[in-house]
Amino acid sequence: TEWRLRALAAQNLPLRARHLYVSSDDVSDVAFTYVLPKNLLRRFIAIADPRTQIAGYMYGVSPEGSDQVKEIRAIVMVPQWATHQRVHLPDAMPSHDYLRDLEPLGWIHTMPNELQYLSPQDVTTHAQILARTADKPRVRWDGDRAAIMTCAFTPGSCTLSAYRLTPAGFEWGRENKDMASAQPDGFTMACFERVQMLLSDRFMGFFMVPDNNGVWNYNFMGPMHRADMSYGLQLDVPRDFYDEMHRPSHFVNFAGMESSAADEVDLEDEFA
């Protein structure tokens, strides 16, 4: 079946992490610079799927004396399901003691193909999170600090870009209802701007995952994912996209096949 072929293709994703390219064309001179540790990026790529997007929330700090630099220290994998165009995330934002001293810096997601701009789906998702958290001080996103990072799977490599919304992009995105079109009404290149991002080996980050055995991928358990669902967090290495805990229905099918085979009566061999 298709998922088996994609699971095999996903085994090659860590090889792409050996060839990383960061897009730095036309970046803003006044925005923050985001530094992503390579250990987080490599693992994020390794647990992904070549076609279906995955996403994680980013948290970090500014190093002492460098207020315009944001070092990403953590990626939080929340319960999610996705298509090749967008990721569906719960309305509830991550909350944990390990994140208390870190500031929310936006989110990162994979893409099956590279785009030269920020997609309208990303603009809308980001704007709606900004609007949803505006009156919640503990989890509030700052429009100037919260970025969108994309990791596109280009042939034999990965290409990374970082963006932030402009005020016009925020206003358009929070009102947009068309999540299917590639060019919705009102969407323009003025909705966003590129920002500088760097990769680093000088520091390492950590992952946080849901505390229900680390299950974050609901693509094989769609009805169990709800926008209003709640979740706890724990410190752990995230499971792969096709991990057995993410697709329990497949093993129920296997068990049914075995039980039906056991119920069959063996025919007596009259020539024995």
Side-chain angles (χ1 to χ4, degrees):
T1 60
E2 183 185 0
W3 77 263
R4 288 187 175 89
L5 297 176
R6 286 168 54 185
L8 291 173
Q11 301 301 309
N12 293 323
L13 289 178
L15 299 177
R16 300 195 187 199
R18 299 178 182 177
H19 305 282
L20 302 172
Y21 302 97
V22 177
S23 178
S24 58
D25 297 335
D26 302 323
V27 297
S28 171
D29 295 330
V30 297
F32 292 98
T33 296
Y34 299 85
V35 185
L36 180 64
K38 288 184 179 179
N39 78 302
L40 285 183
L41 178 59
R42 288 184 179 123
R43 183 58 190 168
F44 188 71
I45 292 170
I47 65 172
D49 176 73
R51 181 162 176 78
T52 302
Q53 294 189 10
I54 71 168
Y57 290 126
M58 303 185 297
Y59 290 80
V61 294
S62 287
E64 187 175 354
S66 302
D67 293 340
Q68 285 299 110
V69 176
K70 297 296 180 183
E71 294 180 349
I72 296 157
R73 300 296 178 86
I75 292 181
V76 180
M77 304 297 297
V78 299
Q80 59 190 268
W81 70 276
T83 65
H84 66 286
Q85 282 189 317
R86 63 175 296 205
V87 182
H88 298 263
L89 304 167
D91 291 340
M93 301 303 290
S95 178
H96 195 276
D97 287 346
Y98 291 167
L99 303 176
R100 185 171 298 172
D101 296 328
L102 304 177
E103 57 181 309
L105 295 178
W107 57 301
I108 181 173
H109 73 84
T110 59
M111 301 172 63
N113 301 294
E114 183 183 11
L115 293 178
Q116 299 301 319
Y117 57 91
L118 189 64
S119 74
Q121 290 80 11
D122 287 354
V123 172
T124 302
T125 298
H126 194 79
Q128 290 176 353
I129 295 174
L130 288 171
R132 192 168 63 242
T133 61
D135 58 349
K136 300 174 181 176
R138 293 187 62 183
V139 296
R140 180 177 177 272
W141 280 21
D142 185 301
D144 290 332
R145 292 180 171 86
I148 310 107
M149 285 190 188
T150 62
C151 177
F153 294 135
T154 42
S157 62
C158 299
T159 301
L160 293 109
S161 301
Y163 306 86
R164 72 172 182 178
L165 295 193
T166 60
F170 170 70
E171 294 298 332
W172 178 85
R174 69 175 180 172
E175 300 295 335
N176 178 49
K177 305 299 182 184
D178 183 1
M179 295 294 281
S181 173
Q183 196 69 32
D185 289 341
F187 175 74
T188 68
M189 299 298 111
C191 288
F192 58 87
E193 61 181 357
R194 287 184 183 268
V195 296
Q196 182 74 46
M197 72 166 293
L198 304 171
L199 301 178
S200 176
D201 283 321
R202 299 186 63 181
F203 67 96
M204 300 181 72
F206 63 89
F207 279 97
M208 299 203 75
V209 299
D211 59 4
N212 60 337
N213 292 318
V215 173
W216 58 268
N217 176 18
Y218 282 71
N219 282 278
F220 302 103
M221 304 178 287
M224 296 178 64
H225 189 279
R226 306 186 316 276
D228 63 349
M229 70 188 298
S230 59
Y231 57 90
L233 294 174
Q234 65 184 24
L235 185 69
D236 205 349
V237 178
R239 298 178 180 274
D240 292 346
F241 189 93
Y242 291 99
D243 187 273
E244 60 187 28
M245 295 297 293
H246 288 155
R247 44 189 184 91
S249 61
H250 295 167
F251 294 90
V252 171
N253 294 338
F254 294 155
M257 292 169 58
E258 291 178 357
S259 62
S260 63
D263 292 339
E264 296 178 0
V265 179
D266 292 334
L267 296 178
E268 182 178 355
D269 186 355
E270 297 179 354
F271 297 98

